[in-house]
Amino acid sequence: MTVIEHIEKAKGETQFSFEILPPLKGEHINSIFENIDPLMEFKPPFIDVTYHREEYIYKELANGLLKKQIVRKRPGTVGICAAIQNKYQVDAIPHILCGGFSKEDTENFLIDLDFLGIKNVMALRGDPIKSEIYFKPETDGHAYASDLVNQIKALNKGQYLDEELQNSSKTKFCVGVGAYPEKHMEAPSLVNDIKFLKEKVENGADYIVTQMFFDNQKYFDFVDKCRSEGITVPIIPGLKPISTKRQLNIIPHRFHVDLPEDLIKAVDQCKSNVEVRQVGVEWCVQQSKELQAAGIPILHYYSMGKSDNIKQVAFKVF
Ligand code: FAD
């Protein structure tokens, strides 16, 4: 089923969904299943699987010269999504990026997903790779997620890159896109960022999932602004329980979100990360309950490969 169909079917009841990371290269698929198993009792309508681009490393050769090498730390998502759908009979949503993909690669990726019965995709630009300051698309790739949405929606109309194709079948992908209640790090302003979010929706995005936030007011204000700009699709909030003291610095740096003073104070007072995890769970439970009370159709949790604290949150909320 598509995400939109899941929302309609739930008839106003708030549902639980989550995102997982592919395991590090060399790890078995069971490491994913071990994370998913404890969360299945909360009946997620779908599970997202993130996509991780290749990285470049430079190895010094015996002659002192440097050799550029491409390293892929995590496997791709097509096989993982198929395995999840097959094992749990739940929709798996692969994330698909502009970065590292030519338009041809994108089309082939989508064809594989379609063959496997995958109904939803999350279309994202991707971040710059570590060796770049700014995002650089492939020569024949997309520069923005809105262009990627265009390509997916064209495939839904049966428009393939190869114009010679006759009677090509139409895919039926439901497309999600990302959004940032505290604005994307590169955007000059939230207003400007929402303008481009609207472009993604006008190009055919069916729903939106937000970056994590720790102050619900930021989400509510963001939704109001999107609605007043004419964005009407569901805006699914992304949530993450804090789990270590270090995240007080890592999260603002990496995700460009603010942490509320009360949360920082509570984490600061913890004597161990066991205590921090409890503070993180309680904070996330309060956020979740308020969003649930506001009638939000789906709460989406970033598991970051660990399910125990997400389970504790879900147990208290769903
Ligand atoms: P875009 O929508 O393309 O926007 C990027 C920037 O360009 C924004 O500042 C926007 O305002 C601006 N912009 C957009 N269109 C235009 C235009 N036409 N002209 C000028 N400026 C424009 N990353 C991964 O690598 N793998 C993942 O699996 C992954 N999952 C994610 C899931 C969610 C829910 C979210 C919110 C993010 C995820 N990311 C992931 C991170 C994401 O790839 C980065 O945040 C990336 O920097 C931006 O992606 P985007 O799709 O929002 O980009």
Side-chain angles (χ1 to χ4, degrees), residues 178-239:
Y180 308 83
E182 297 174 61
K183 124 180 156 52
H184 183 255
M185 65 183 104
E186 294 163 27
S189 71
L190 188 57
V191 170
N192 189 267
D193 208 18
I194 291 175
K195 181 179 91 177
F196 291 121
L197 176 60
K198 191 172 179 199
E199 189 174 301
K200 294 195 266 195
V201 175
E202 283 170 349
N203 288 2
D206 299 284
Y207 69 98
I208 292 166
V209 181
T210 77
Q211 181 59 280
M212 64 182 76
F213 55 88
F214 296 86
D215 174 356
N216 284 351
Q217 199 51 51
K218 299 216 161 137
Y219 168 82
F220 292 130
D221 291 347
F222 177 70
V223 172
D224 285 348
K225 286 190 179 107
C226 290
R227 299 299 180 227
S228 65
E229 288 305 314
I231 297 172
T232 55
V233 299
I235 304 179
I236 299 172
L239 298 165

Side-chain angles (χ1 to χ4, degrees), residues 19 48-53 95-98 122-128 143-147 177-180 184-189 192-194 196-197 199-200 209-212 300 302:
E19 174 181 297
D48 274 54
V49 183
T50 56
Y51 192 94
H52 299 264
R53 273 190 74 178
H95 291 194
I96 174 168
L97 304 183
C98 302
M122 184 77 190
L124 299 143
R125 189 197 70 179
D127 285 323
Y144 297 107
S146 52
D147 304 324
V177 290
Y180 308 83
H184 183 255
M185 65 183 104
E186 294 163 27
S189 71
N192 189 267
D193 208 18
I194 291 175
F196 291 121
L197 176 60
E199 189 174 301
K200 294 195 266 195
V209 181
T210 77
Q211 181 59 280
M212 64 182 76
H300 188 69
Y302 294 111

Side-chain angles (χ1 to χ4, degrees), residues 15 48 69 78 87 114 145 170 187 217 251 268 272 280 291-292 294 304 308:
Q15 301 177 86
D48 274 54
Q69 203 172 318
V78 176
K87 182 171 163 70
D114 189 46
K170 297 176 182 175
Q217 199 51 51
I251 288 175
D268 258 344
S272 69
L291 293 163
Q292 192 179 38
M304 307 277 193
D308 59 323

